[in-house]
Amino acid sequence: MTRLFNAPAAFADEALEGFVAAHRRWVRPVSGGVVRSAPAPRGQVAVVIGGGSGHYPAFSGLVGPGLAHGAAVGNVFASPSARQIRTVAEQAHTGGGVLLMFGNYAGDVLHFGQAAEQLNAAGIETRCVSVTDDISSADRADQDKRRGIAGDLPVFKAAAAAAEQGRDLDGVVAAARHANARTRSFGIAFSGCTLPGADHPLFTVAEGRMAVGLGIHGEPGIGEREVPSADGAAELLVSSLLAELPEGVTDPRGERAAVILNGLGTVKYEELFVVYRRVAQLLAEAGVEVVDPEVGELVTSFDMAGVSLTLCWLDEELEPLWTAGADTPAYRKGEVTAPAAGSAEEIRTDEPDAAVPAATEVSRTAAATAVAALRAIKDTVDTHAEELGRIDAVAGDGDHGIGMRRGSEAAHAAAVRAAEAGAGAGTAVGAAADAWADRAGGTSGALWGVVLHAVGAALGDTEAPTAGTVADGVSEASAAVRRLGGAEVGDKTMVDVLVPFADTLAGAVADGAALTAAWDRAATAADDAAKATAGLVPRIGRARPHVERSLGTPDAGAHSLALIVRAVHGVLATH
């Protein structure tokens, strides 16, 4: 388990601070992550990678010459926010454009996509490439739905080496996509990881059993079987990957491959070497020539006891990219020019606080109610954070409680600051929206930012809120979440609660009910809908491969939304 921490919600920030203090030769801090301590040559494409904390040396440990130009680092197992990604990219950019790279997870897709849109709008040409190497997470026909695990490394490196060669943005993107198309990974685990502050692992397997096809966020495997010998583990890993060759590879004999045997946290190097001994034998017997293999911890999951095997099938383009030199805190190969020691001083990129828009007295009064509601949300999330984490861990990664706690605390604090500065309700709630999305990261952070922005826009800063304006804001929030996240009712997400809540609220208001009574009716509908998600199976998101595990347990996002709207009703009843 994770034993050394202070406040669990501060773990990711404090870990990044310590990482920078230990590696200032390679990196310097920016808001949301790190960039190279010595900037890349002018005009070189900047490769910016990122994802959640808890996977070191991914992602911050891979920043340096020959590899990433910057890394955006999110909360534990949660994607960084769009603002964090944008800030890192702006600081890494030297005029050649930016390539954003990340594992194919819903939160990362949302936030990196939003950051790319913002960067392009600001005149910085930006593209995105997600890594999809895990063969256990979707069928071959749905490769675009696969998640990224330890295959991140060869794909990131191919792009970075192409950038070092001086290729333009189109060329770097092409190298990344080509490497991704030829990379496959498969993993096994003997026990799950434990998040900071949690008292139990995200999943367990019986003594003598192992999970097969697990994810790097503690998602349980797609099946279980008896724990084999080291040779047996090697045979399972190799046979699984040789059973699915990428397009263009019809027979492994005579092919060359980059090979990574990755430890996920507590499998020690000596154990890895015992397994790799047999991996090397099996690949040789299959006629595969291994090129510069890597055995060690490249993408971890806290204290998970497990290993994964990655094969990147090389060709004339990819091999020199794989063997090119790199010098980062956690990954070094060949020779590159080492940067001079960097400064530990953080690059300040936050924009100065904008002037608070003018607001009427009645809207400032409404802002006080909004602050009270956000305080109730924060307190409710804090009370239920461990419960939300347990629910999320059944078929997901168990980070929902931590993310919601970080987001709700930041949202409340931002709204307090705005209200104290004289902001109206719309501005105060909008500030809360930005803070929630930025601090929480992940899918839920993005979606709660959308929810609060929609409500804030409806409230405005001049008029007294009415039941109708509030209902309109919630209805727009419902529509915006579906547009952004792509989920619909029945997919086992927060949408299963948000839609009936919004529809019931709008219907009650249309029938003439006062806001408090209408909200009460809608909150009851939300609670019923949240409970009903226990009978659904996930059709999107990280839990999708684990439909059987999910049955009988409500969706964590749906449950937290139901708790929140009931807490807000208590505020409305007293204001």
Side-chain angles (χ1 to χ4, degrees):
M1 63 185 299
T2 307
R3 295 177 175 85
L4 296 176
F5 58 90
N6 297 309
F11 183 87
D13 295 334
E14 293 177 348
L16 185 62
E17 183 181 351
F19 165 77
V20 170
H23 296 103
R24 61 189 63 179
R25 173 187 162 216
W26 289 275
V27 300
R28 54 182 175 174
V30 298
S31 179
V34 295
V35 296
R36 292 185 188 179
S37 59
R42 187 71 188 165
Q44 186 176 103
V45 174
V47 175
V48 174
I49 63 177
S53 298
H55 304 303
Y56 190 84
F59 296 89
S60 55
L62 303 179
V63 175
L67 241 164
H69 297 73
V73 183
N75 188 24
V76 173
F77 289 177
S79 72
S81 71
R83 187 194 66 83
Q84 291 172 316
I85 298 162
R86 188 182 72 245
T87 299
V88 172
E90 288 170 343
Q91 291 299 315
H93 179 241
T94 63
V98 174
L99 173 58
L100 302 177
M101 303 188 70
F102 46 91
N104 189 35
Y105 298 91
D108 294 294
V109 172
L110 286 174
H111 286 289
F112 279 90
Q114 289 177 332
E117 291 178 357
Q118 295 164 8
L119 289 163
N120 280 310
I124 299 176
E125 188 177 5
T126 304
R127 310 278 187 82
C128 291
V129 172
S130 59
V131 182
T132 57
D133 59 302
D134 182 14
I135 66 171
S136 68
S137 55
D139 292 335
R140 184 165 190 161
D142 293 319
Q143 290 184 43
D144 61 327
K145 296 179 181 178
R146 289 177 169 175
R147 59 197 173 199
I149 52 175
D152 283 354
L153 177 61
V155 181
F156 292 168
K157 191 170 186 306
E164 297 279 2
Q165 290 178 347
R167 299 189 197 183
D168 63 12
L169 184 56
D170 285 341
V172 173
V173 169
R177 289 176 175 165
H178 184 48
N180 185 59
R182 294 175 69 91
T183 301
R184 303 286 188 273
S185 299
F186 188 75
I188 58 176
F190 317 107
S191 67
C193 60
T194 306
L195 300 185
D199 57 5
H200 58 278
L202 293 180
F203 72 90
T204 59
V205 290
E207 188 71 23
R209 304 281 291 176
M210 70 176 181
V212 177
L214 70 150
I216 58 167
H217 298 91
E219 305 100 324
I222 57 174
E224 289 186 9
R225 63 176 64 186
E226 291 185 3
V227 174
S229 63
D231 283 359
E235 289 157 10
L236 172 62
L237 294 170
V238 172
S239 64
S240 297
L241 294 183
L242 293 185
E244 186 188 306
L245 301 176
E247 185 176 351
V249 178
T250 57
D251 185 341
R253 192 161 300 279
E255 295 289 341
R256 296 166 66 83
V259 179
I260 299 171
L261 184 64
N262 177 59
L264 284 158
T266 58
V267 175
K268 307 311 296 179
Y269 274 72
E270 286 87 348
E271 296 174 87
L272 292 173
F273 291 137
V274 173
V275 175
Y276 185 73
R277 160 192 156 275
R278 183 59 177 153
V279 167
Q281 292 171 354
L282 292 167
L283 291 174
E285 291 170 6
V288 179
E289 185 170 348
V290 175
V291 179
D292 280 5
E294 296 288 344
V295 179
E297 294 183 346
L298 283 309
V299 180
T300 62
S301 184
F302 280 110
D303 59 335
M304 184 185 291
V307 299
S308 65
L309 181 66
T310 298
L311 299 182
C312 178
W313 297 90
L314 302 175
D315 58 14
E316 291 182 355
E317 178 188 3
L318 291 178
E319 184 163 340
L321 300 178
W322 171 244
T323 59
D327 182 23
T328 77
Y331 183 85
R332 296 164 202 170
K333 175 182 288 188
E335 294 184 3
V336 293
T337 302
S343 169
E345 181 179 356
E346 180 173 355
I347 301 171
R348 297 293 177 181
T349 56
D350 296 334
E351 297 177 0
D353 292 336
V356 174
T360 63
E361 186 61 33
V362 70
S363 186
R364 287 195 289 269
T365 299
T369 301
V371 169
L374 287 161
R375 173 61 184 267
I377 291 172
K378 178 182 75 71
D379 291 345
T380 296
V381 168
D382 189 59
T383 298
H384 295 276
E386 290 188 12
E387 174 194 6
L388 296 174
R390 285 194 299 271
I391 293 173
D392 190 36
V394 171
D397 53 21
D399 69 336
H400 189 67
I402 292 177
M404 291 291 288
R405 177 180 273 160
R406 283 169 60 106
S408 60
E409 287 177 352
H412 174 252
V416 168
R417 290 193 298 271
E420 289 177 347
T427 295
V429 175
D434 290 336
W436 192 314
D438 185 46
R439 188 66 175 157
T443 306
S444 67
L447 298 182
W448 271 99
V450 166
V451 167
L452 293 177
H453 265 302
V455 173
L459 295 178
D461 291 327
T462 57
E463 304 297 328
T466 66
T469 57
V470 172
D472 288 345
V474 172
S475 293
E476 173 53 30
S478 174
V481 165
R482 283 176 283 165
R483 286 195 302 269
L484 179 63
E488 293 294 342
V489 172
D491 287 341
K492 196 163 187 172
T493 69
M494 69 180 293
V495 167
D496 289 295
V497 168
L498 183 55
V499 169
F501 173 75
D503 291 349
T504 303
L505 180 64
V509 169
D511 290 342
L515 178 59
T516 301
W519 196 282
D520 182 32
R521 192 185 308 175
T524 299
D527 186 55
D528 292 340
K531 292 175 181 175
T533 62
L536 299 176
V537 295
R539 297 193 297 216
I540 64 173
R542 290 182 188 167
R544 180 179 52 81
H546 308 293
V547 293
E548 296 82 4
R549 293 178 182 269
S550 171
L551 274 174
T553 302
D555 177 71
H559 183 56
S560 62
L561 176 56
L563 291 171
I564 284 170
V565 296
R566 178 51 68 188
V568 171
H569 173 256
V571 174
L572 296 177
T574 57
H575 285 66

